[in-house]
Amino acid sequence: MRKCKLRLIVLTLAAALLLQLPAAAGFGSARAFTDVSSGHWARTYIDRLSSLGIVDGYADGSFLPEKELTCGEFMKMLAVSSELYTENLRVTVHWAQPYWTMLDEANVLDGVDIPCTAAALNRPITRYEMAVMLSNVTVNVFWEPRVNVDNPGGTIADYSAIPTAYKDAVEQVYGKGIITGYKSTAGIADGAFVGSNTLTRAQATAVLVRLLWGSERQMASFANEGERPVIPTVDPGYVPFATRIQNEGLVDAWGRPSASLCTQLFGSSGKTYFHSSADAAPYMQTISVNVWKMDANGTKYASTASITVHKLVAYDVGCIFQQIFESPERFPIQSVSGARFTDSLRHAWGCAIDINPVQNAYCYYSNGVLVPMTGSFWSPGVSPYSITPNGSVVNAFKAYGWGWGGQGYSSGKYDYMHFSIMKSGG
């Protein structure tokens, strides 16, 4: 059974993901490059990635779109784009070593022979190698379904010449519309992939934009979407953090942590919560999770959200949200938050999550009428953003030992937005 994978970013080391990126014009604004005209075929791709700080040009203002990329350069772009993380940031053989490590730990390098050596990272990357890495990211990082293919040779002009080792990866990313064949290129048949060619900087921006934005893809005629991967509720033999501390009696029914739990969470047996974000920073992680959003027309689309939680629950929270994302319900998440330090309870432990607070009020009932204290209402079955008892959201948290505040507290309050490592959801 597959291990739940998620994209983790350590909050205090987030800048390390960009440690090899040149100084950019600034996030949110695309840089104008002297050699990329308004009519250049890759202009929109370059602008989009430049505005995010994923690519940049050279000191003389050029971008050199036709320059070939090295393995190390493409690995940096792919790792940053995919929001990968590693605790091993050593640089002993090459500047791109941390990015190689990120990809290797995420199983993105499976099927390519690129060792972590200066010679390998400095050589030009081939389109075949690029295809394998992109295919691995879609499956192992983004949890996309594979596509079913039928007669890809009718579309990919040089399909019969593709080595067996690369055929599946090319079918998958070509089929999903992430990569395309050459068009109107001298000496190359239309639709040919020519995977032995090296990858250019302009081509890399195009495939990365299509990788990250599904709306930029056009599925090939020979492909159709297969079944989504099945995410296990909990890996066999794995005991989630919340389940373990409950089973071991490390927190009582009132939410008071034992000395042992305090040491694990806060680094001191006498400390029972974090007093500020600065106090908590060494213990926190910000994770990027897949979520469903909904536009004004009620159409759901895949997106991501960032949540800051305690390192000890980061893996579990990532799996919880992946399970919610993979559920047929496709529950839409308008907003989500984790750690905050305004009180001494579970949010101040980094062990609580609030989802769609406007539509899932913290409230009490007076003569059967809901009276909101935080948020506006709770209307399951009416508002798509309201959490339904025993729905995919509640069940996903429950599978990892987390409780829901919508069960109600002894105080007569209900917190429909709130989940925590307490069975009560308190």
Side-chain angles (χ1 to χ4, degrees), residues 5 16 35-36 105 141 161 174 182 214 264 269 277 304 310 323 362 415:
K5 295 190 177 187
D35 56 349
V36 181
E105 291 178 351
V141 180
Y174 201 120
Y182 286 91
Q264 293 178 56
S269 61
S277 56
T304 59
H310 199 290
Q323 185 171 318
Y362 175 47
D415 201 348

Side-chain angles (χ1 to χ4, degrees), residues 37 56 69 96 101 118-119 168 218 232 241 244-245 283 303 333 336 339 382 385 409:
S37 67
D56 197 25
L69 273 178
T101 303
D168 180 73
Q218 184 173 353
F241 180 80
R244 178 176 64 79
I245 66 170
Y283 298 86
S303 185
I333 296 179
V336 59
V382 178
Y385 293 109
Y409 306 136

Side-chain angles (χ1 to χ4, degrees), residues 36-380:
V36 181
S37 67
S38 59
H40 192 282
W41 71 267
R43 173 65 183 268
T44 58
Y45 303 126
I46 294 168
D47 283 352
R48 187 174 295 190
L49 296 188
S50 171
S51 70
L52 294 174
I54 294 173
V55 300
D56 197 25
Y58 296 88
D60 64 358
S62 65
F63 184 75
L64 302 185
E66 304 311 314
K67 182 182 178 184
E68 61 187 11
L69 273 178
T70 66
C71 292
E73 289 168 339
F74 182 69
M75 288 179 181
K76 175 191 71 177
M77 294 168 66
L78 186 57
V80 174
S81 299
S82 304
E83 297 182 347
L84 296 178
Y85 165 74
T86 181
E87 292 184 355
N88 183 2
L89 295 173
R90 290 182 305 168
V91 179
T92 57
V93 298
H94 191 273
W95 65 261
Q97 182 175 351
Y99 301 104
W100 183 95
T101 303
M102 293 174 197
L103 297 175
D104 184 55
E105 291 178 351
N107 299 325
V108 174
L109 299 183
D110 293 356
V112 294
D113 183 18
I114 307 177
C116 191
T117 64
L121 295 173
N122 282 332
R123 72 165 172 79
I125 189 169
T126 69
R127 286 164 58 85
Y128 282 140
E129 291 167 330
M130 172 267 294
V132 172
M133 285 190 246
L134 291 175
S135 180
N136 287 337
V137 166
T138 65
V139 175
N140 297 334
V141 180
F142 294 166
W143 287 88
E144 291 185 16
R146 287 172 54 82
V147 293
N148 301 317
V149 300
D150 180 25
N151 189 30
T155 301
I156 307 175
D158 58 344
Y159 180 76
S160 62
I162 299 174
T164 301
Y166 299 121
K167 242 177 188 135
D168 180 73
V170 173
E171 289 173 352
Q172 289 299 309
V173 289
Y174 201 120
K176 291 180 177 183
I178 298 173
I179 62 175
T180 60
Y182 286 91
K183 289 181 174 62
S184 304
T185 303
I188 299 177
D190 277 1
F193 181 59
V194 197
S196 57
N197 280 4
T198 55
L199 184 69
T200 68
R201 285 167 58 82
Q203 290 170 347
T205 63
V207 297
L208 289 177
V209 166
R210 295 188 202 116
L211 173 69
L212 298 176
W213 284 275
S215 60
E216 296 289 339
R217 305 183 194 178
Q218 184 173 353
M219 190 173 290
S221 59
F222 64 77
N224 60 82
E225 187 171 296
E227 293 184 3
R228 287 191 170 272
V230 177
I231 311 300
T233 301
V234 181
D235 292 336
Y238 175 69
V239 180
F241 180 80
T243 303
R244 178 176 64 79
I245 66 170
Q246 292 162 15
N247 290 345
E248 295 178 6
L250 300 184
V251 60
D252 66 19
W254 299 99
R256 292 174 296 209
S258 68
S260 172
L261 182 57
C262 289
T263 300
Q264 293 178 56
L265 288 172
F266 315 115
S268 170
S269 61
K271 187 174 183 177
T272 58
Y273 64 98
F274 293 113
H275 299 271
S276 66
S277 56
D279 181 32
Y283 298 86
M284 295 293 118
Q285 283 187 355
T286 295
I287 64 173
S288 178
V289 297
N290 293 319
V291 297
W292 290 103
K293 297 280 190 182
M294 192 162 64
D295 64 21
N297 296 318
T299 301
K300 295 177 183 178
Y301 61 95
S303 185
T304 59
S306 296
I307 315 170
T308 300
V309 293
H310 199 290
K311 290 179 180 180
L312 292 176
V313 301
Y315 175 83
D316 294 349
V317 171
C319 289
I320 288 167
F321 277 87
Q322 189 63 36
Q323 185 171 318
I324 295 169
F325 182 76
E326 295 294 342
S327 168
E329 182 183 356
R330 294 189 173 187
F331 181 83
I333 296 179
Q334 189 177 70
S335 65
V336 59
S337 62
R340 66 171 184 262
F341 310 100
T342 54
D343 55 43
S344 61
L345 302 178
R346 258 55 66 192
H347 281 290
W349 297 10
C351 296
I353 302 285
D354 286 344
I355 297 176
N356 298 348
V358 173
Q359 303 89 351
N360 295 282
Y362 175 47
C363 61
Y364 65 92
Y365 287 84
S366 176
N367 297 321
V369 178
L370 183 149
V371 180
M373 295 183 291
T374 302
S376 299
F377 60 88
W378 179 62
S379 300

